[in-house]
């Protein structure tokens, strides 16, 4: 018997930061009844953002987010993953920080069964550190990496002081992220 995506209790998703080279990405599993608001909170944790800024989900021609005056957002608190991806894979966009414009591609990859002893949401793999908040988007992040990687760069010391002394763009700690996710449960 063929199982549809909606037959599974969990969805496996992959998120990738658009424009990052090499790619900054995460793969995680969430309950299929997760609302877009909860998904936003999960994305903040798995990517390493601090939830300082506004966000939006773009699915087809529709925009979902936290409704506020003069916005055209559909209320993300009322929409569940099962409603946007009821029977198959789906790719959509998650935008965080309208100033820096961090664009993420989110893909609902497949349905999965629960495993004993695992608490959801759970991060299962990923690569590279999330850029620092307020670094200026993908272009600003590239400039930041160039400056901290070259001791003779005129902004080297300033950027290192701003970031707190050091930054490793390759750093990724799966266990630390899952500890943080456990606080969402």
């Amino acid at each position: 018997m063929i199982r549809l995506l909606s037959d599974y209790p969990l969805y496996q998703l992959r998120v990738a930061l658009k424009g990052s080279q090499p790619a900054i990405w995460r793969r995680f599993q969430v309950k299929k009844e997760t609302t877009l608001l909860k998904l936003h909170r999960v994305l903040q944790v798995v990517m390493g953002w601090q939830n300082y800024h506004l966000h939006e989900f773009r699915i087809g021609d529709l925009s979902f987010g936290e409704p506020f005056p003069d916005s055209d957002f559909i209320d993300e608190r009322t929409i569940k993953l099962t409603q946007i991806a009821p029977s198959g894979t789906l790719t959509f966009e998650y935008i965080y920080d309208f100033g820096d414009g961090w664009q993420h591609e989110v893909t609902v990859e497949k349905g999965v069964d629960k495993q004993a002893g695992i608490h959801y949401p759970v991060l299962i793999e990923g690569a590279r550190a999330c850029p620092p908040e307020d670094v200026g988007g993908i272009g600003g992040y590239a400039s930041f990496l160039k400056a901290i990687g070259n001791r003779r760069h005129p902004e080297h010391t300033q950027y290192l002081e701003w970031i707190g002394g050091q930054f490793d763009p390759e750093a990724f700690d799966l266990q630390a992220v899952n500890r943080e996710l456990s606080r969402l449960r």
Side-chain angles (χ1 to χ4, degrees):
M1 181 174 141
I2 297 175
R3 291 175 71 183
L4 301 173
L5 183 67
S6 59
D7 294 335
Y8 291 91
L10 305 169
Y11 287 170
Q12 181 170 293
L13 286 76
R14 183 182 191 278
V15 59
L17 185 58
K18 289 184 174 184
S20 61
Q21 290 298 329
I24 299 168
W25 63 275
R26 310 288 187 260
R27 181 168 282 121
F28 58 101
Q29 296 172 346
V30 296
K31 294 176 183 174
K32 71 179 184 180
E33 297 296 323
T34 299
T35 64
L36 291 179
L37 173 60
K38 176 115 185 217
L39 180 60
H40 157 69
R41 292 176 179 151
V42 170
L43 288 166
Q44 287 289 300
V45 172
V46 301
M47 288 304 295
W49 300 120
Q50 302 298 312
N51 202 20
Y52 295 153
H53 305 283
L54 295 173
H55 68 279
E56 170 186 8
F57 291 95
R58 287 188 190 152
I59 303 168
D61 294 334
L62 302 174
S63 294
F64 301 83
E66 182 180 344
F68 55 89
D70 299 325
S71 78
D72 292 329
F73 290 157
I74 298 168
D75 189 345
E76 67 188 352
R77 297 172 296 184
T78 64
I79 305 299
K80 297 179 180 180
L81 284 173
T82 53
Q83 294 171 273
I84 63 168
S87 60
T89 60
L90 172 75
T91 298
F92 56 94
E93 192 172 30
Y94 170 71
I95 299 106
Y96 173 63
D97 184 351
F98 299 157
D100 281 1
W102 298 108
Q103 297 179 353
H104 305 76
E105 182 177 88
V106 181
T107 302
V108 179
E109 293 184 319
K110 64 181 181 177
V112 293
D113 288 314
K114 289 183 179 181
Q115 295 180 24
I118 304 291
H119 300 283
Y120 299 93
V122 63
L123 181 65
I124 55 177
E125 60 183 331
R128 289 173 202 78
C130 180
E133 293 274 352
D134 301 321
V135 77
I138 285 291
Y141 183 52
S143 296
F144 166 79
L145 291 177
K146 185 176 180 180
I148 67 168
N150 178 355
R151 292 185 182 276
R152 292 187 293 214
H153 192 284
E155 295 176 302
H156 177 81
T157 302
Q158 177 186 353
Y159 270 127
L160 283 179
E161 287 174 4
W162 175 72
I163 200 62
Q166 63 181 2
F167 180 83
D168 180 0
E170 294 300 316
F172 173 69
D173 187 339
L174 184 103
Q175 287 77 26
V177 173
N178 276 320
R179 281 191 299 275
E180 191 68 27
L181 280 174
S182 71
R183 296 178 186 170
L184 293 179
R185 298 179 193 129

